[in-house]
């Protein structure tokens, strides 16, 4: 498939993708790996993915903040929807739309913000697809990806499976086996990522809003998209997609664990963990004081914890004991 005009528009991005790919390929070759082996190119693709996703972290942080604001306005959004519930005339629909947009503007929220990282990744995804396609079909490179490297990339195979082949046009069972396995793993990772968000990181108010129904729908729609589209993408591109999915799953797990949505199940679990840590710190302090009593008996004796009952001592008797 020739991307044609789109490929021309993506040329600068393709140049950058090719440069990063060649850079990691050179690193692995310097470490003694076979430059023409499929594993060398696969590792280069995976580390290319890590560079891309690391560069997208600031955008991901913006996405998290925007999602938090969306969750905060969910109860207000539900009130607007309840206000016009059952009213299907044009005036009511326009009024509900106006009030909804005014709420978004007032709170600085954007319902499409969650799609931003995916939209930014799509040009990179198609650039990698174009680079791999041109390397295999035309044996032509771009930028630092010379024609010789392009030919090496295009002819590389992993466990007997050429990286340029897809599940649908596979020349052997090796391609279908690896592609099928990767499609299953990609689908599972996407499902787990979405399930983490829906099951653990939503407050009860959000679960009662239409947003929750949309998220539940995405829980089953996105994996289906991966299954259908994964059948027609080359193995090399699928490695980028899989590595990106794994990164997303790990990144979201960290965010949900450390910065959960207030009132969500994840937030309650984090509060419980913090309470346990605080309790452990509280029980550790007397132990430290008691342990230090031996080193400085005179200073530490007033805070020593003992199990033997102490008889009350008068001031005069205490002075006599002190003189002894």
């Amino acid at each position: 498939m020739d991307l044609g005009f789109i490929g021309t528009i993506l040329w600068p991005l393709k140049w950058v993708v090719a440069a990063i790919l060649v850079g990691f390929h050179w690193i692995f070759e310097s470490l003694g790996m076979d430059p023409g082996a499929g594993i060398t190119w696969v590792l280069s693709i995976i580390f290319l993915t890590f560079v891309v996703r690391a560069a997208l972290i600031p955008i991901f942080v913006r996405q998290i903040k925007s999602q938090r604001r969306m969750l905060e306005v969910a109860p207000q959004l539900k009130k607007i929807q309840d206000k016009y519930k059952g009213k299907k005339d044009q005036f009511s629909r326009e009024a509900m739309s106006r009030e909804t947009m005014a709420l978004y503007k007032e709170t600085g929220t954007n319902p499409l913000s969650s799609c931003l990282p995916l939209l930014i990744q799509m040009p990179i995804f198609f650039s990698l697809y174009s680079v791999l396609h041109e390397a295999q079909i035309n044996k032509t490179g771009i930028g630092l990806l010379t024609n010789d490297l392009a030919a090496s990339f295009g002819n590389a195979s992993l466990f007997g499976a050429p990286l340029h082949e897809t599940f649908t046009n596979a020349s052997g069972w090796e391609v279908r086996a690896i592609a099928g396995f990767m499609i299953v793993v990609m689908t599972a990772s996407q499902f787990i990522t979405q399930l983490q968000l829906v099951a653990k990181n939503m407050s009860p108010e959000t679960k009662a809003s239409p947003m929750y129904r949309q998220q539940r729908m995405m829980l089953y729609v996105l994996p289906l998209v991966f299954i259908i589209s994964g059948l027609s993408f080359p193995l090399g591109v699928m490695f980028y997609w899989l590595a990106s999915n794994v990164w997303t799953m790990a990144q979201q797990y960290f965010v949900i664990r450390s910065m959960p949505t207030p009132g969500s199940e994840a937030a309650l679990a984090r509060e419980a963990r913090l309470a346990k840590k605080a309790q452990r710190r509280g029980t550790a302090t007397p132990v430290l004081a008691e342990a230090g009593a031996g080193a400085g008996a005179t200073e530490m004796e007033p805070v020593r914890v003992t199990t033997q009952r102490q008889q009350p001592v008068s001031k005069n008797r205490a002075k006599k004991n002190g003189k002894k």
Side-chain angles (χ1 to χ4, degrees):
M1 173 183 171
D2 185 7
L3 294 180
F5 180 68
I6 298 178
T8 302
I9 295 177
L10 294 178
W11 188 89
L13 194 54
K14 289 162 58 179
W15 199 98
V16 174
V17 168
I20 299 175
L21 186 67
V22 170
F24 280 115
H25 182 267
W26 176 83
I27 291 175
F28 292 122
E29 182 181 358
S30 301
L31 295 176
M33 299 183 67
D34 182 1
I39 186 63
T40 306
W41 285 107
V42 167
L43 289 176
S44 302
I45 292 172
I46 292 175
F47 278 86
L48 164 66
T49 308
F50 292 161
V51 170
V52 171
R53 294 310 305 269
L56 291 177
I57 287 179
I59 298 175
F60 179 77
V61 172
R62 280 188 63 184
Q63 175 195 3
I64 293 297
K65 292 180 178 179
S66 182
Q67 286 179 341
R68 290 283 176 83
R69 287 194 293 267
M70 283 296 298
L71 294 174
E72 290 174 359
V73 303
Q76 303 176 51
L77 185 62
K78 188 175 184 302
K79 289 181 180 179
I80 296 176
Q81 293 169 342
D82 291 341
K83 179 180 177 181
Y84 295 95
K85 186 176 181 180
K87 300 179 181 179
K88 299 183 179 180
D89 59 284
Q90 184 177 357
F91 176 79
S92 298
R93 290 199 300 268
E94 290 178 355
M96 185 177 71
S97 179
R98 284 196 304 270
E99 292 185 25
T100 301
M101 296 306 297
L103 177 63
Y104 287 152
K105 184 176 180 180
E106 180 183 352
T107 57
T109 54
N110 184 358
L112 300 178
S113 60
S114 59
C115 301
L116 187 59
L118 180 61
L119 293 176
I120 293 177
Q121 277 195 89
M122 291 310 293
I124 301 172
F125 177 81
F126 283 115
S127 297
L128 179 60
Y129 175 84
S130 178
V131 169
L132 179 58
H133 178 81
E134 293 174 6
Q136 171 59 28
I137 303 302
N138 303 323
K139 298 297 189 294
T140 55
I142 179 173
L144 297 180
L145 184 66
T146 63
N147 290 345
D148 291 338
L149 285 173
S152 173
F153 188 20
N155 295 326
S157 60
L158 181 68
F159 303 122
L163 296 180
H164 68 276
E165 293 189 0
T166 68
F167 186 92
T168 54
N169 70 354
S171 59
W173 65 269
E174 296 90 350
V175 176
R176 288 193 172 91
I178 296 178
F181 173 77
M182 292 182 64
I183 290 173
V184 171
V185 176
M186 285 193 304
T187 304
S189 62
Q190 179 63 44
F191 183 82
I192 293 173
T193 300
Q194 195 67 18
L195 184 62
Q196 285 180 342
L197 180 64
V198 173
K200 296 184 178 181
N201 203 39
M202 285 191 174
S203 62
E205 293 80 8
T206 305
K207 290 184 177 181
S209 68
M211 185 186 302
Y212 180 71
R213 291 193 293 271
Q214 296 173 4
Q215 292 289 347
R216 293 286 300 185
M217 185 182 302
M218 295 295 289
L219 178 64
Y220 300 102
V221 171
L222 286 181
L224 184 62
V225 171
F226 276 98
I227 293 176
I228 297 175
S229 58
L231 297 174
S232 58
F233 282 113
L235 287 181
V237 179
M238 289 175 66
F239 276 107
Y240 170 86
W241 205 340
L242 177 60
S244 181
N245 272 17
V246 173
W247 177 289
T248 301
M249 184 172 60
Q251 184 174 251
Q252 183 164 284
Y253 173 81
F254 173 78
V255 170
I256 291 177
R257 182 177 175 82
S258 57
M259 295 179 292
T261 300
S264 64
E265 180 182 334
L268 297 177
R270 183 173 184 271
E271 291 176 3
R273 290 196 304 271
L274 294 177
K276 287 183 179 179
K277 288 182 180 179
Q279 187 177 9
R280 284 198 296 268
R281 292 195 199 100
T283 56
T285 304
V287 174
L288 290 175
E290 187 176 353
T298 311
E299 298 179 2
M300 299 299 297
E301 192 164 353
V303 295
R304 181 182 297 173
V305 179
T306 60
T307 57
Q308 184 179 358
R309 183 181 176 183
Q310 299 292 327
Q311 295 294 332
V313 181
S314 63
K315 293 183 179 180
N316 294 332
R317 186 173 180 182
K319 290 180 180 179
K320 292 181 180 179
N321 291 337
K323 291 180 180 180
K324 292 180 181 180

